[in-house]
Amino acid sequence: MSLLDLFIEAGNLKKLPRTGWLLRGVSNPESIADHSYRVALITLFLADELRAKGVEIDVERALKIAVLHDLAEARLTDIPLTAQYYLDKGKAEKKAAMELFIRTPNPREYFRLWREYEEGLSLEGRLVKFADKLEMLVQALEYEKAGFRDLDEFWGALDSLRESEFYEHFRELVEELAGLRKQNR
Amino acid sequence: MSLLDLFIEAGNLKKLPRTGWLLRGVSNPESIADHSYRVALITLFLADELRAKGVEIDVERALKIAVLHDLAEARLTDIPLTAQYYLDKGKAEKKAAMELFIRTPNPREYFRLWREYEEGLSLEGRLVKFADKLEMLVQALEYEKAGFRDLDEFWGALDSLRESEFYEHFRELVEELAGLRKQNR
Amino acid sequence: MSLLDLFIEAGNLKKLPRTGWLLRGVSNPESIADHSYRVALITLFLADELRAKGVEIDVERALKIAVLHDLAEARLTDIPLTAQYYLDKGKAEKKAAMELFIRTPNPREYFRLWREYEEGLSLEGRLVKFADKLEMLVQALEYEKAGFRDLDEFWGALDSLRESEFYEHFRELVEELAGLRKQNR
Amino acid sequence: MSLLDLFIEAGNLKKLPRTGWLLRGVSNPESIADHSYRVALITLFLADELRAKGVEIDVERALKIAVLHDLAEARLTDIPLTAQYYLDKGKAEKKAAMELFIRTPNPREYFRLWREYEEGLSLEGRLVKFADKLEMLVQALEYEKAGFRDLDEFWGALDSLRESEFYEHFRELVEELAGLRKQNR
Amino acid sequence: MSLLDLFIEAGNLKKLPRTGWLLRGVSNPESIADHSYRVALITLFLADELRAKGVEIDVERALKIAVLHDLAEARLTDIPLTAQYYLDKGKAEKKAAMELFIRTPNPREYFRLWREYEEGLSLEGRLVKFADKLEMLVQALEYEKAGFRDLDEFWGALDSLRESEFYEHFRELVEELAGLRKQNR
Amino acid sequence: MSLLDLFIEAGNLKKLPRTGWLLRGVSNPESIADHSYRVALITLFLADELRAKGVEIDVERALKIAVLHDLAEARLTDIPLTAQYYLDKGKAEKKAAMELFIRTPNPREYFRLWREYEEGLSLEGRLVKFADKLEMLVQALEYEKAGFRDLDEFWGALDSLRESEFYEHFRELVEELAGLRKQNR
């Protein structure tokens, strides 16, 4: 197995739809790669802003986590909540992530980064989790603006943004999002 | 929970793509419901032909199994082979099927039918399995005829058709399919 | 002509969109096969419930009719109402159905079943008609829930459900559907 | 009924796929309007070239025919060959065209133009027929170049181009097309 | 370079989406060719009506302009407003149009027609501009009717229709459109 | 203007297709965001490998460049080669990038990073360029494997990979890709 195989397999993320939108009637929803891209973009700006505010954060580490955090879905697909009730997604992702990283020069490092996200073990891992939720809500906002209507339950994630350790730093951003959402309705 | 909820949930099967094709570059592949429909159609004709040949078969039972056999995917999505290595799909489907059938007037009967397919417990269950594989190969044939090229590995299923107890009855059909495939290449 | 040819031709039902939705701006609507699948599923549960209530109904027959009722559209496509004003769809379907069934071992039986649906000649045929309309309305409900808005005229079918002989048995189901629709608006 | 209604109804041509491609596995084929547009473009250049060669041709008339020739499909959809065997498409189109043109200021003129195409009554009508076939073959060429494979039977139309009265004027064009097709295979 | 090359290149207009809709969340929007087709159709009826009202107008010329007006987009794509702020689209279209027309027998004539549209040099060119805006609004109306919601800014074009020299002739049409829009909201 | 606005605008990259594929008949091609995601992934692994080999490289910088390098296309769309002949894309991107970055806390830094890519001013910028081309070829390989055929001209980029300063480090990877391509044909 080579790095090229890994790059080819990552191509699955472009083909696979985000099933949460699909199941609520968004007919051609974004791909997993679409989502991951904006998570990385958001992570970049939030991490830099934290650093500017004097928070000690490793931006390289945060970006790597953002790029890697959904890679296991290249094998697992985007398993929706309705399925997670029946399947041990966490365990499966862990195993798939390990086997994917085995092909790389630094399997240990990448797997540790992946766990930092999954288990919230580092500031950087938790920041990507914050960015992951924020990204989903920005997308929900866009779909609702376009006319889609069955997306209420996604907005529960707003609470977890507000309860996050990062909320004090990005309160304005989160509340601006919440405000735009109200206008949409 | 009502029958209407069940019908609405079954609507997921129309939205969810069959991931095997998707991952091999078929851009707008059939839905799970598309597949299930033709499985039912094939089951109907094969079951009637078996009966005409003197095989004792319960056609009603076979048709019910065909209609129900993928229903659990309304909650689980079409989990591809690459994921099944990491997830206990069988166990998840069993549990999801049970919880779906709970809403119906005859949960026991439907769950028994579902198990007949899954575990090959009855002639009718095994016939739907045969129809399920046959359907997939007819679809592979159509995609290849249209120009798609990365579908070789699906054709391994031809062997399992040939080893099936139904092969003696449908040899001509199976070999006609195999012949058309050769022409495509 | 062989059964395999029939199965391949039935594949057209997966490719062909239901034109009613398409013409009202649903961009990637369900296929004819998508629709037929859920008609079969609904038929299964309604027929079993009728039987449980002591109604004499042949469930095998009902399921066969459900699977076969739109098969002629594999040749005719889903001709919309705007076209039926100019075309004798009924006559065309009859002829196409006959020529499709000719390839099967029991052309007479299948054609009789098809007529039972088309002309309402049997309880089972009329039940599939009921299921066919119900399926369409469940789909309309889902599209409206997702945000699509130009589907009012489909809801006229609610009246024909209420006037049906099956309404007394499925009043609750039909009215639950009507209620959900009101919430959507 | 107003002109605006007619313009809105013509919007159906954008939504409706050309079913010939769809049934051969081209997953997102061109719309009827896509096709009609290029027929008009081809008509423009061929008509001007004929005029330059001294052929007496009414270019305005030719362009009008090109724009109007598929308008009835806004009500009828693109009924494929498999269906035309069972349906009197010609009669239906005639009636639908008449009723569409009724809303316009000059129903007689437009209907006469439509008949010139349909029945080959004028040089201009026949030129649009030639352009219509040519357009279809250029599209087949493009789909084949992209990788689609099940389009052989369309190329029968090459013969009718060669037998046309316009072949002497556009021999080079037609044979260049035939040559490119050979390279594709 | 041959006419056939030009026809093939015009095929790009079928593949390219109108980016204005795409960027506002319409998932499978019309193609440029879809739009151009209806511009030609609208031009036909408006030009004939003007002539009937005694306005001296060259209908052939108007139709040619309609068919040619977006041809340069086969090379440039539909560059959205957000991009035009950074790019000299006008200059680029002029050059691309010239180079496309070079392949035709009458490059000068076609380029002059194209300029009549672009620069409003003739009555016919300005009529196509009017038809172009009208077409866009009819499409916006249809998308809004289907449920899409982020299209407000397109309706600014209503003012330019009202300020046009053609408004006096098509006041009723324009106001009917404006009225339907109000109902949609 | 806020960071949220920037995140929303970046959502355009999910909606916009990569036009190179679209124009060659790939019907639902990847989005710009799809592409950018894998460029970031490739950059991550190549940068880490370079560092492991003793090359002094700033991985954080490389990842930032990868995430930002196509951001200006959120305003400009993916302008294809056929258009770049008529438009000064470089100048437009520069201006659009500047105006996008103005909204961020560190406009200077981001713009400098963007220029490092665009003008090849740093090792990290040139590595992302290498990753950008490599990503495109991996995608071409996948489309060809799926059956698409009109992608020959993309493979010219193989030469620029071979001429790159990074070729000595990734020779095996590049030649493995070239080898797989030969098998596809």
Side-chain angles (χ1 to χ4, degrees):
Chain A
M1 284 281 185
S2 67
L3 266 187
L4 182 58
D5 292 321
L6 182 69
F7 298 162
I8 291 174
E9 200 165 348
N12 289 350
L13 300 174
K14 301 180 178 190
K15 297 170 194 158
L16 288 164
R18 294 258 290 168
T19 52
W21 313 121
L22 195 67
L23 291 172
R24 275 158 200 86
V26 179
S27 59
N28 283 314
E30 57 163 353
S31 66
I32 301 172
D34 277 332
H35 162 71
S36 283
Y37 170 69
R38 193 158 59 179
V39 171
L41 183 90
I42 291 174
T43 298
L44 187 163
F45 288 108
L46 299 193
D48 271 356
E49 197 157 320
L50 286 176
R51 191 152 57 181
K53 289 180 171 187
V55 179
E56 262 187 65
I57 187 161
D58 181 339
V59 179
E60 177 186 324
R61 173 178 294 266
L63 284 171
K64 283 181 167 177
I65 293 173
V67 171
L68 298 175
H69 85 286
D70 273 341
L71 192 55
E73 297 194 4
R75 293 193 174 172
L76 295 178
T77 77
D78 180 33
I79 297 176
L81 275 179
T82 52
Q84 292 179 32
Y85 179 69
Y86 304 103
L87 291 163
D88 192 341
K89 192 197 167 195
K91 205 172 128 195
E93 278 202 317
K94 195 173 197 163
K95 208 172 154 196
M98 274 176 72
E99 292 192 15
L100 278 162
F101 295 141
I102 281 288
R103 298 193 237 165
T104 68
N106 305 307
R108 270 163 208 258
E109 186 206 340
Y110 298 129
F111 186 59
R112 197 190 55 223
L113 291 171
W114 184 85
R115 280 189 55 213
E116 289 179 18
Y117 168 79
E118 202 59 25
E119 303 172 26
L121 301 179
S122 67
L123 189 74
E124 291 80 7
R126 293 192 300 275
L127 180 66
V128 176
K129 202 99 178 181
F130 185 86
D132 182 69
K133 287 209 167 63
L134 184 57
E135 202 288 324
M136 182 189 74
L137 289 180
V138 175
Q139 186 57 64
L141 185 83
E142 289 177 71
Y143 283 140
E144 289 184 343
K145 205 175 173 208
F148 292 101
R149 278 292 164 263
D150 192 22
L151 307 177
D152 285 354
E153 65 190 278
F154 289 90
W155 289 94
L158 209 49
D159 288 338
S160 73
L161 291 184
R162 283 171 176 151
E163 289 155 14
S164 153
E165 71 201 280
F166 301 106
Y167 182 60
E168 56 166 323
H169 299 292
F170 304 114
R171 173 192 297 264
E172 213 176 326
L173 180 60
V174 171
E175 296 310 324
E176 189 188 348
L177 176 66
L180 286 174
R181 208 261 158 157
K182 272 196 193 141
Q183 286 171 33
N184 259 353
R185 304 204 75 204
Chain B
M1 283 283 185
S2 67
L3 266 186
L4 182 59
D5 291 322
L6 182 69
F7 298 162
I8 290 173
E9 200 165 348
N12 289 349
L13 300 174
K14 301 179 177 190
K15 297 169 194 157
L16 289 165
R18 294 257 291 169
T19 52
W21 313 121
L22 195 68
L23 291 172
R24 275 157 201 86
V26 178
S27 59
N28 283 315
E30 58 162 355
S31 66
I32 301 172
D34 277 334
H35 161 71
S36 283
Y37 171 68
R38 193 157 59 179
V39 172
L41 183 91
I42 291 174
T43 297
L44 188 163
F45 289 107
L46 299 193
D48 271 355
E49 196 156 320
L50 286 176
R51 191 152 57 180
K53 288 181 171 186
V55 178
E56 263 189 63
I57 187 161
D58 181 339
V59 180
E60 177 186 324
R61 173 178 294 266
L63 284 171
K64 283 180 167 177
I65 293 172
V67 171
L68 297 174
H69 85 285
D70 272 342
L71 191 55
E73 298 193 3
R75 293 193 174 172
L76 296 179
T77 78
D78 180 33
I79 297 176
L81 275 179
T82 52
Q84 292 179 32
Y85 180 69
Y86 303 104
L87 291 163
D88 193 339
K89 191 197 169 195
K91 204 172 129 196
E93 278 202 315
K94 196 172 197 164
K95 208 173 156 196
M98 273 177 72
E99 293 193 14
L100 278 162
F101 295 140
I102 281 288
R103 298 192 237 165
T104 68
N106 305 306
R108 269 162 208 259
E109 186 206 339
Y110 298 129
F111 186 58
R112 197 190 55 223
L113 291 171
W114 183 85
R115 281 188 55 212
E116 288 179 20
Y117 169 79
E118 202 59 25
E119 303 173 27
L121 301 179
S122 67
L123 189 74
E124 291 80 8
R126 294 192 299 275
L127 180 66
V128 176
K129 201 96 172 184
F130 186 85
D132 182 69
K133 288 209 165 62
L134 184 57
E135 202 289 323
M136 182 189 75
L137 290 180
V138 175
Q139 187 57 64
L141 184 82
E142 288 177 71
Y143 283 140
E144 289 184 343
K145 206 176 173 207
F148 292 101
R149 278 292 162 265
D150 192 21
L151 308 177
D152 284 354
E153 64 190 280
F154 289 89
W155 290 94
L158 208 50
D159 288 338
S160 73
L161 291 184
R162 282 170 177 152
E163 288 155 14
S164 153
E165 70 200 283
F166 301 105
Y167 182 60
E168 55 167 324
H169 300 291
F170 304 115
R171 173 193 297 265
E172 214 176 324
L173 181 60
V174 171
E175 296 309 324
E176 188 187 347
L177 176 67
L180 286 174
R181 208 261 158 155
K182 272 195 194 142
Q183 286 172 32
N184 259 353
R185 303 204 75 204
Chain C
M1 285 282 185
S2 67
L3 267 187
L4 182 59
D5 291 323
L6 182 69
F7 298 160
I8 291 173
E9 200 165 349
N12 288 350
L13 300 175
K14 301 180 178 190
K15 297 170 195 157
L16 290 164
R18 294 257 292 168
T19 53
W21 313 122
L22 195 67
L23 291 172
R24 275 157 201 86
V26 179
S27 59
N28 282 315
E30 57 163 354
S31 66
I32 301 172
D34 277 333
H35 161 71
S36 283
Y37 170 70
R38 193 158 58 179
V39 171
L41 183 90
I42 291 174
T43 298
L44 188 162
F45 288 107
L46 299 192
D48 270 354
E49 195 156 322
L50 286 175
R51 191 152 56 180
K53 288 180 172 187
V55 178
E56 263 188 62
I57 187 160
D58 181 339
V59 179
E60 178 186 323
R61 173 177 294 267
L63 284 171
K64 283 181 167 177
I65 293 172
V67 171
L68 297 174
H69 85 285
D70 272 342
L71 192 56
E73 298 194 4
R75 292 192 175 174
L76 295 179
T77 76
D78 180 33
I79 297 175
L81 276 178
T82 52
Q84 292 179 33
Y85 179 69
Y86 304 103
L87 290 164
D88 193 340
K89 192 198 166 191
K91 205 172 130 195
E93 277 202 316
K94 196 172 197 164
K95 209 172 156 197
M98 274 176 72
E99 293 193 14
L100 278 161
F101 294 140
I102 280 289
R103 297 192 237 167
T104 69
N106 305 307
R108 269 162 209 259
E109 186 207 339
Y110 298 127
F111 186 58
R112 197 190 55 221
L113 291 170
W114 185 85
R115 281 188 55 215
E116 289 179 19
Y117 168 79
E118 202 59 26
E119 303 172 28
L121 301 179
S122 66
L123 189 74
E124 291 80 8
R126 293 193 298 276
L127 179 66
V128 177
K129 201 98 176 183
F130 185 85
D132 182 68
K133 288 207 166 65
L134 185 57
E135 201 290 322
M136 182 189 76
L137 290 180
V138 175
Q139 187 57 65
L141 185 82
E142 289 178 70
Y143 283 140
E144 290 184 343
K145 204 173 173 210
F148 292 101
R149 279 292 163 265
D150 193 21
L151 308 177
D152 284 354
E153 64 189 277
F154 289 89
W155 289 95
L158 208 50
D159 289 338
S160 73
L161 290 184
R162 283 170 176 152
E163 289 154 13
S164 153
E165 71 200 281
F166 301 106
Y167 182 61
E168 56 167 322
H169 299 292
F170 304 114
R171 173 193 297 264
E172 214 176 325
L173 181 60
V174 170
E175 296 309 325
E176 189 188 348
L177 176 66
L180 287 174
R181 207 262 159 156
K182 272 193 193 144
Q183 287 172 32
N184 259 352
R185 305 203 74 203
Chain D
M1 284 283 185
S2 68
L3 265 187
L4 181 58
D5 292 321
L6 181 70
F7 298 161
I8 290 173
E9 201 165 347
N12 289 349
L13 300 174
K14 301 180 177 190
K15 297 170 196 157
L16 290 164
R18 294 259 289 169
T19 52
W21 313 121
L22 195 68
L23 291 172
R24 274 157 202 86
V26 179
S27 59
N28 283 314
E30 58 163 353
S31 66
I32 302 172
D34 277 332
H35 161 71
S36 283
Y37 170 69
R38 192 156 61 180
V39 171
L41 183 90
I42 291 175
T43 297
L44 187 162
F45 288 107
L46 299 193
D48 271 355
E49 196 157 319
L50 286 175
R51 190 151 60 181
K53 288 180 172 186
V55 178
E56 263 188 63
I57 186 160
D58 181 338
V59 180
E60 177 187 325
R61 172 178 295 266
L63 283 171
K64 283 180 166 177
I65 293 172
V67 171
L68 298 173
H69 85 285
D70 273 341
L71 192 56
E73 297 194 4
R75 292 192 174 174
L76 295 178
T77 76
D78 181 33
I79 296 175
L81 275 179
T82 52
Q84 292 179 32
Y85 179 69
Y86 304 103
L87 291 163
D88 193 340
K89 191 196 167 193
K91 205 171 129 194
E93 278 203 316
K94 195 173 198 162
K95 208 172 156 196
M98 274 176 72
E99 293 193 13
L100 278 162
F101 294 140
I102 281 288
R103 298 192 237 166
T104 68
N106 305 306
R108 269 163 210 260
E109 185 206 340
Y110 297 129
F111 186 59
R112 199 191 54 223
L113 291 171
W114 184 85
R115 281 188 55 215
E116 289 179 19
Y117 168 79
E118 202 59 26
E119 303 172 26
L121 301 179
S122 67
L123 188 75
E124 291 81 6
R126 292 191 301 274
L127 180 67
V128 177
K129 201 96 173 184
F130 185 85
D132 182 68
K133 287 209 167 63
L134 184 57
E135 201 289 324
M136 182 188 73
L137 289 180
V138 175
Q139 186 57 65
L141 184 83
E142 289 177 72
Y143 283 140
E144 289 183 344
K145 205 174 174 210
F148 292 102
R149 277 296 163 261
D150 192 23
L151 308 176
D152 285 354
E153 66 191 275
F154 290 89
W155 289 94
L158 209 49
D159 289 338
S160 75
L161 291 184
R162 282 171 177 151
E163 288 154 15
S164 153
E165 70 200 281
F166 301 106
Y167 182 60
E168 57 166 321
H169 301 292
F170 304 115
R171 172 192 297 264
E172 213 177 325
L173 180 61
V174 170
E175 296 309 326
E176 188 188 348
L177 175 67
L180 286 174
R181 207 262 159 155
K182 271 194 194 141
Q183 287 173 30
N184 260 353
R185 303 203 76 204
Chain E
M1 284 284 185
S2 67
L3 265 187
L4 182 59
D5 292 323
L6 181 69
F7 297 161
I8 290 173
E9 200 165 349
N12 288 349
L13 300 174
K14 301 179 178 191
K15 297 170 195 157
L16 289 164
R18 294 258 290 169
T19 52
W21 313 121
L22 196 67
L23 291 172
R24 274 157 202 86
V26 178
S27 59
N28 283 314
E30 58 163 353
S31 67
I32 302 172
D34 277 333
H35 162 71
S36 283
Y37 170 69
R38 191 155 63 179
V39 171
L41 183 91
I42 291 174
T43 298
L44 187 163
F45 288 108
L46 299 192
D48 271 357
E49 196 156 320
L50 287 175
R51 189 151 58 181
K53 289 180 171 186
V55 178
E56 263 189 63
I57 187 161
D58 181 339
V59 180
E60 177 186 324
R61 172 178 295 267
L63 283 171
K64 283 180 166 177
I65 293 173
V67 171
L68 297 174
H69 85 284
D70 272 342
L71 192 56
E73 297 193 5
R75 292 192 175 174
L76 295 178
T77 76
D78 180 32
I79 296 175
L81 275 179
T82 51
Q84 292 179 32
Y85 179 69
Y86 304 104
L87 291 163
D88 193 340
K89 190 195 167 194
K91 205 172 130 195
E93 278 202 315
K94 195 174 198 162
K95 208 172 156 198
M98 275 177 71
E99 293 192 14
L100 278 161
F101 295 139
I102 281 289
R103 298 192 237 166
T104 68
N106 304 308
R108 269 163 208 259
E109 186 206 340
Y110 298 129
F111 187 59
R112 198 191 55 222
L113 291 171
W114 185 86
R115 281 189 55 215
E116 290 179 18
Y117 169 80
E118 202 58 28
E119 303 173 28
L121 300 179
S122 67
L123 189 74
E124 291 80 7
R126 293 192 300 275
L127 179 66
V128 176
K129 200 97 176 183
F130 185 85
D132 182 68
K133 287 207 166 65
L134 184 57
E135 202 290 322
M136 183 189 74
L137 289 180
V138 175
Q139 186 57 65
L141 185 83
E142 289 178 72
Y143 283 139
E144 289 184 343
K145 205 175 172 210
F148 292 102
R149 278 293 164 264
D150 193 22
L151 308 177
D152 285 354
E153 67 191 274
F154 289 89
W155 289 94
L158 208 50
D159 288 339
S160 76
L161 291 185
R162 282 170 176 151
E163 288 155 15
S164 153
E165 70 200 282
F166 300 106
Y167 182 61
E168 57 166 323
H169 299 292
F170 304 114
R171 172 193 297 265
E172 213 177 326
L173 180 60
V174 170
E175 296 309 325
E176 188 188 349
L177 176 66
L180 286 174
R181 208 264 158 156
K182 270 194 194 144
Q183 287 172 32
N184 260 352
R185 304 204 75 205
Chain F
M1 285 283 185
S2 67
L3 266 187
L4 182 58
D5 291 323
L6 181 68
F7 298 161
I8 291 173
E9 200 165 350
N12 289 350
L13 300 174
K14 301 180 178 190
K15 298 171 194 157
L16 289 165
R18 294 258 291 169
T19 53
W21 314 121
L22 195 68
L23 292 171
R24 275 156 200 88
V26 179
S27 58
N28 283 315
E30 57 163 355
S31 66
I32 301 172
D34 277 332
H35 162 71
S36 283
Y37 170 69
R38 194 158 58 181
V39 171
L41 183 91
I42 292 175
T43 297
L44 187 163
F45 288 108
L46 299 192
D48 270 354
E49 195 156 321
L50 286 175
R51 190 153 55 181
K53 287 181 172 186
V55 178
E56 264 188 62
I57 187 160
D58 181 340
V59 180
E60 177 185 325
R61 172 177 295 266
L63 284 171
K64 283 181 167 177
I65 293 173
V67 172
L68 297 174
H69 84 285
D70 272 343
L71 192 56
E73 297 194 5
R75 292 193 174 174
L76 295 178
T77 77
D78 180 33
I79 297 175
L81 276 178
T82 52
Q84 292 179 33
Y85 179 70
Y86 304 104
L87 291 162
D88 193 340
K89 191 198 166 193
K91 204 171 131 195
E93 278 202 316
K94 195 172 197 163
K95 208 172 156 197
M98 274 176 72
E99 293 193 14
L100 278 162
F101 295 140
I102 280 288
R103 297 192 238 166
T104 69
N106 304 307
R108 269 162 208 261
E109 186 207 339
Y110 298 128
F111 186 58
R112 197 191 56 221
L113 292 171
W114 184 85
R115 281 189 54 215
E116 289 179 18
Y117 168 80
E118 202 58 27
E119 303 172 29
L121 300 179
S122 67
L123 189 73
E124 291 80 8
R126 293 192 300 275
L127 179 66
V128 177
K129 201 96 173 186
F130 185 84
D132 182 68
K133 288 208 166 64
L134 184 57
E135 201 289 324
M136 183 189 74
L137 290 180
V138 175
Q139 187 58 64
L141 184 83
E142 289 177 71
Y143 283 140
E144 290 185 342
K145 204 174 173 210
F148 292 101
R149 279 293 163 263
D150 192 21
L151 307 177
D152 284 354
E153 65 190 277
F154 289 89
W155 289 94
L158 209 50
D159 288 339
S160 75
L161 291 185
R162 283 171 177 151
E163 288 155 14
S164 154
E165 71 200 281
F166 300 106
Y167 182 61
E168 56 166 323
H169 300 292
F170 304 114
R171 173 194 296 265
E172 212 176 327
L173 181 60
V174 171
E175 296 310 325
E176 188 189 348
L177 176 66
L180 285 174
R181 207 263 159 155
K182 270 193 195 144
Q183 286 172 32
N184 259 353
R185 304 204 73 204

